[in-house]
């Protein structure tokens, strides 16, 4: 398979800060070699610096989305499958736009379903899925070329265990499909029923149980072990047409043994092999 790895090395508007160091660390940890050995043709593209010099979180966050959208479209035009390595989850809005995705699987320990009206901390990334579903930041999102919000009924939220009260209330009103890793097949069946044609797969690495793998400072107990997550996403990829992948939220400062990069390589190698068999 021809693959484009797209690096978006930003965290909350800061270039190569915090989780913005994750994309380079994953590549330096052998991702390209792992995928090449698995038989893939791999190209790496870096969006570099975008936005203004002040690195304002909101403006820069959406500038990253715009840049990623463009690179995803270039990859697809060249017959390459896009894999975005990002610091922040909001970046998925750019990938969704570039792929013209009509459904999404969101694996994350957080719901990312806050809005400016409900957010306690004002953290833009805590509004990432809400943005993708068209619940907030509508003018900024609509400025991403080709962005169309995804119907909440076409969203699978996997292993979200750390939800704010407002997110819990919102989920009572939305037709979002909730899933845990052991029961991914049921969720996929529900997503497949409305004939989803292009499904974006978003993996926030803090979805893992921090006792097994810690990706960043925001982790809470629970969640799947790496093998369980691999089995779940490969199962989903075997049933659904995955149009692209975003992997986010890895901060190397919280991974002293550098365990995350090789596990990302294993996950993607198995996932791509599953997709090739569809």
């Amino acid at each position: 398979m021809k693959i484009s790895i797209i690096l978006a090395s930003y965290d909350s508007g800061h270039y190569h800060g915090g989780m913005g160091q994750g994309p380079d660390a994953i590549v330096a940890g052998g991702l390209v070699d792992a995928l090449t050995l698995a038989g893939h043709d791999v190209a790496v593209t870096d969006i570099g610096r975008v936005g203004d010099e002040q690195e304002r979180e909101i403006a820069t966050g959406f500038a990253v989305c715009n840049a990623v959208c463009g690179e995803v479209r270039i990859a697809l035009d060249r017959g390459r499958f896009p894999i975005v390595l990002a610091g922040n989850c909001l970046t998925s809005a750019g990938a969704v736009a570039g792929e013209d995705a009509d459904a999404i699987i969101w694996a994350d320990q957080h719901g990312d379903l806050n809005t400016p009206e409900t957010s306690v901390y004002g953290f833009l990334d805590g509004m990432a899925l809400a943005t993708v579903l068209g619940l907030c930041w509508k003018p900024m999102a609509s400025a991403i070329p080709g962005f169309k919000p995804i119907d909440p009924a076409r969203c699978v939220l996997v292993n979200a265990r750390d939800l704010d009260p407002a997110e819990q209330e919102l989920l009572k009103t939305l037709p979002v499909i909730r899933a845990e890793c052991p029961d991914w097949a049921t969720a996929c069946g529900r997503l497949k029923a409305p004939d989803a044609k292009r499904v974006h797969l978003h993996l926030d690495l803090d979805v893992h149980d921090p006792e097994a793998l810690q990706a960043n400072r925001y982790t809470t107990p629970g969640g799947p072990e790496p093998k369980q997550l691999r089995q779940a996403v490969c199962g989903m990829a075997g049933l659904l047409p995955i149009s692209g992948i975003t992997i986010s939220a890895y901060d190397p400062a919280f991974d002293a043994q550098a365990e995350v990069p090789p596990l990302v390589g294993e996950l993607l190698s198995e996932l791509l092999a599953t997709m090739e068999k569809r």
Side-chain angles (χ1 to χ4, degrees):
M1 184 183 294
K2 292 183 178 181
I3 298 165
S4 275
I5 297 175
I6 300 164
L7 309 183
S9 303
Y10 275 87
D11 182 356
S12 299
H14 299 293
Y15 187 56
H16 280 155
M19 295 181 295
Q21 301 175 69
D24 282 346
I26 291 172
V27 170
L31 178 59
V32 174
D33 290 341
L35 296 181
T36 301
L37 286 172
H40 303 292
D41 177 347
V42 184
V44 180
T45 301
D46 192 334
I47 67 166
R49 285 187 174 273
V50 298
D52 59 32
E53 294 182 358
Q54 297 180 52
E55 296 187 324
R56 294 172 293 184
E57 181 184 20
I58 299 170
T60 304
F62 282 98
V64 169
C65 290
N66 276 268
V68 165
C69 174
E71 292 298 338
V72 166
R73 287 186 175 171
I74 290 170
L76 292 172
D77 286 345
R78 294 175 177 173
R80 291 184 170 274
F81 180 79
I83 299 174
V84 179
L85 303 182
N88 289 143
C89 295
L90 180 68
T91 307
S92 277
V96 163
E99 295 161 27
D100 194 23
D102 59 6
I104 193 163
I105 299 166
W106 194 274
D108 196 326
Q109 74 157 352
H110 304 100
D112 292 347
L113 284 166
N114 280 304
T115 68
E117 290 76 23
T118 65
S119 177
V120 175
Y121 303 104
F123 184 33
L124 181 62
D125 230 35
M127 310 176 207
L129 181 54
T131 301
V132 170
L133 300 183
L135 305 179
C136 64
W137 298 111
K138 295 179 183 180
M140 301 291 285
S142 65
I144 304 169
F147 176 81
K148 295 187 291 291
I150 288 176
D151 183 341
R154 289 175 174 250
C155 171
V156 177
L157 181 59
V158 182
N159 275 102
R161 60 189 183 272
D162 185 7
L163 299 171
D164 293 339
E167 292 178 303
Q168 294 176 16
E169 290 302 312
L170 180 61
L171 282 169
K172 293 177 182 178
T173 70
L174 292 177
V176 168
I177 303 164
R178 301 289 300 277
E180 302 295 321
C181 278
D183 189 30
W184 51 265
T186 300
C188 283
R190 291 178 60 190
L191 189 60
K192 192 174 183 180
D195 193 27
K197 294 182 175 63
R198 293 173 300 280
V199 182
H200 183 74
L201 175 60
H202 171 85
L203 301 175
D204 182 320
L205 292 172
D206 70 16
V207 72
H208 290 98
D209 181 351
E211 291 295 322
L213 189 73
Q214 181 161 357
N216 58 49
R217 74 178 72 207
Y218 303 109
T219 53
T220 55
E225 296 183 355
K227 183 178 180 180
Q228 292 174 314
L229 184 67
R230 285 201 303 275
Q231 290 174 338
V233 297
C234 287
M236 293 177 180
L239 292 175
L240 298 168
I242 304 299
S243 57
I245 301 169
T246 299
I247 295 179
S248 71
Y250 171 47
D251 187 342
F254 292 84
D255 180 26
Q257 303 303 315
E259 296 176 300
V260 169
L263 287 171
V264 170
E266 290 178 28
L267 184 153
L268 288 174
S269 294
E270 291 187 28
L271 178 60
L272 293 169
T274 300
M275 290 172 55
E276 287 183 313
K277 294 176 183 177
R278 284 192 83 246

